[in-house]
Amino acid sequence: ALAEGNGAKPVYLQLDIFDPHNPFSIPAGFEEREKELRAVFSKLPASYDACLARDWAPDPAMPRIYNFYQKNWGMYTRELITDYRVANALQMEVVDHALARFVAGLKERGLYDEAVVIFTADHGEMNGRHGLCDKGVYLYPDTLRVPLAVKMPSSSGIKPHVVDAPVSHLDLAPTLLQLAGIAPEARRDGRSLLPYLERTGAPVDREL
């Protein structure tokens, strides 16, 4: 986006939001919403119920490290894991409100239409599955898959669409560099997402 004022120049802003993150609390003003979410999250994942059924004995089908994490997270009761899941969801809604204010601020300053806005997260959340929460050594899709949304400038002519190709956080830097017209001085492990955004690139196999 271009900054306001004389001699307007491009601006880069990285807005990092810590939430949702431990330790959790119920945000002020969300008490009624908490009650609604408790009804939604009263049903726990089947894999959590399986942990309860075997009284948290190690699962021989899982690597031992997972049992170590289950023991140390201590989510031993349905009430405790439900509290965790509800508080996690509430903090995500607080983040939604913060992002809405940020976007409104861009629009008020006339910066939104031509801005590139990228929304993503650093990791996912087990949320009680397999008796685990947060993230750690577990290689489950729940922690490895994250949201990624890219809003392109109106002048690009790129319409909203969904890209099914697998992409990575490693692709963000090459994408931003290409948008800025900067050729990287060294090799990048990622690749620019512009061909996907412009619908000129076909999905390719990606190595881990």
Side-chain angles (χ1 to χ4, degrees):
L2 295 179
E4 296 174 306
N6 297 328
K9 295 181 179 180
V11 172
Y12 173 82
L13 171 65
Q14 182 169 322
L15 180 62
D16 296 321
I17 301 178
F18 187 68
D19 291 330
H21 209 287
N22 283 313
F24 287 138
S25 61
I26 305 302
F30 282 74
E31 291 81 6
E32 291 303 313
R33 182 61 175 151
E34 177 195 0
K35 296 176 183 177
E36 296 174 1
L37 289 176
R38 284 199 177 277
V40 174
F41 286 102
S42 60
K43 181 176 174 58
L44 297 179
S47 57
Y48 180 86
D49 286 330
C51 293
L52 286 181
R54 65 174 186 273
D55 196 24
W56 297 93
D59 183 350
M62 297 178 69
R64 285 185 296 172
I65 188 66
Y66 291 107
N67 297 310
F68 172 81
Y69 269 81
Q70 286 171 339
K71 182 183 298 183
N72 284 277
W73 276 120
M75 295 292 176
Y76 296 136
T77 67
R78 297 181 63 89
E79 293 74 22
L80 184 58
I81 193 62
T82 300
D83 287 346
Y84 180 97
R85 285 157 56 85
V86 169
N88 182 65
L90 281 172
Q91 287 201 355
M92 281 195 282
E93 294 196 4
V94 171
V95 171
D96 286 344
H97 282 267
L99 293 176
R101 293 181 62 183
F102 170 67
V103 170
L106 290 178
K107 292 180 177 180
E108 290 169 4
R109 291 163 176 79
L111 299 173
Y112 180 78
D113 287 346
E114 287 306 304
V116 176
V117 179
I118 298 177
F119 170 77
T120 189
D122 57 341
H123 60 79
E125 164 67 64
M126 288 302 290
N127 234 348
R129 296 172 185 88
H130 299 283
L132 300 166
C133 62
D134 204 274
K135 53 92 168 65
V137 300
Y138 3 106
L139 294 175
Y140 285 103
D142 310 78
T143 60
L144 298 179
R145 290 176 177 166
V146 296
L148 176 61
V150 181
K151 199 246 9 136
M152 293 293 286
S154 298
S155 59
S156 70
I158 296 175
K159 303 298 182 184
H161 63 281
V162 175
V163 175
D164 292 326
V167 298
S168 165
H169 278 152
L170 296 172
D171 301 329
L172 296 183
T175 302
L176 290 169
L177 288 170
Q178 185 175 359
L179 286 170
I182 299 174
E185 297 180 0
R187 180 184 67 85
R188 300 285 176 185
D189 289 322
R191 62 188 67 190
S192 173
L193 298 176
L194 275 184
Y196 298 113
L197 296 170
E198 296 171 344
R199 301 190 183 193
T200 59
V204 295
D205 288 336
R206 302 291 298 269
E207 295 181 357
L208 182 64

